[in-house]
Amino acid sequence: MSDVLQNSFYIGNVFNSILYGVELMLYFNTMQAYLEKQSEHRPSDKFYMIFSTIILFLITIFVATQLLLAQEMWIINAGYPGGALAYFLAHVSAWYQTMGSVASLLLQLMTDGLLIHRCLTVWRGSYRVLFVPCCLWLSSLVFGILDLITSGSPDGDFFEGLAARIGLVYFSLTIGLNVITTCLICGRIIFYARRMRNHLGLEVSKAYFTTVAIIVESALPHTLFGIAFLVSLGLGSNTSILFLSLYGMFTCISPQMLILRVVRRRAWSAETAQPTTLVFATRSAAAPSTTSETETGGSVV
């Protein structure tokens, strides 16, 4: 059992380092795209740049605290009584681990909030579809704070006791929110993709609705890794710490990919499914030349 836990923690840290490099690449590409479109800036662009910087800062804290625990466990305190596993269990609530948990909670709340916002955009301002996601977001905030208090206390243990039960509720709420928003966004995009395909043909619909658009807009990787983590955590598997690392990293990477598409004017906008957009697509399909994304209101996916 101890070997499975330690190996999962080690592999998780390896993936953290690799995916952190991916996040840095996406962040700098986003900033480059932002600077290149200074003459076309929207009021929301500055918000997305600040948002991107904050989530990069938070994921940096998360990765650093995980690596610090690994260094303390395997190198600095290699001779700890009971071995590395005993040190891990004794220091899982250390101050720097609590700091990493706080950063992870803030990152999760920001990402969930962004998904709710994008869901509102895709559904063209229909607030009715946001009732359940908003309730889940508020509930996850409450249980997230409770999880921090119980797991960060001197005798707290993220994997056992009250902290583990509260943690399971918290992750069930936030991952449930991810599943709902992902399904709402995917369903909406697929609905309009089929509608356009039936009216305009497959080739025209491909220009507007792609697999990449569906995956990125709905933050699908983030949701899938969340489900894998929740299942492993519910089963009490030691591999849950590996899926927690992957889920934590895609809590940052998925919104960053989405923001990059927004800045490049390739993301879904409120005008994408407007009748005028569909009419323009019909004319574009009939014309021999193509029209830029800027002329269509930046709504090409």
Side-chain angles (χ1 to χ4, degrees), residues 119-121 123-131 188:
C119 190
L120 179 65
T121 300
W123 281 82
R124 292 174 55 189
S126 178
Y127 289 94
R128 292 176 297 176
V129 301
L130 301 184
F131 178 75
R188 189 70 165 178

Side-chain angles (χ1 to χ4, degrees), residues 108 112 136 140 167-182 222-231 233 244 247:
Q108 183 68 60
D112 289 347
L136 290 175
S140 67
L168 182 60
V169 174
Y170 161 69
F171 284 112
S172 297
L173 289 170
T174 187
I175 294 171
L177 188 156
N178 298 154
V179 171
I180 291 174
T181 53
T182 295
H222 174 233
T223 300
L224 293 179
F225 282 117
I227 294 172
F229 165 66
L230 185 61
V231 171
L233 181 65
L244 175 60
Y247 178 59

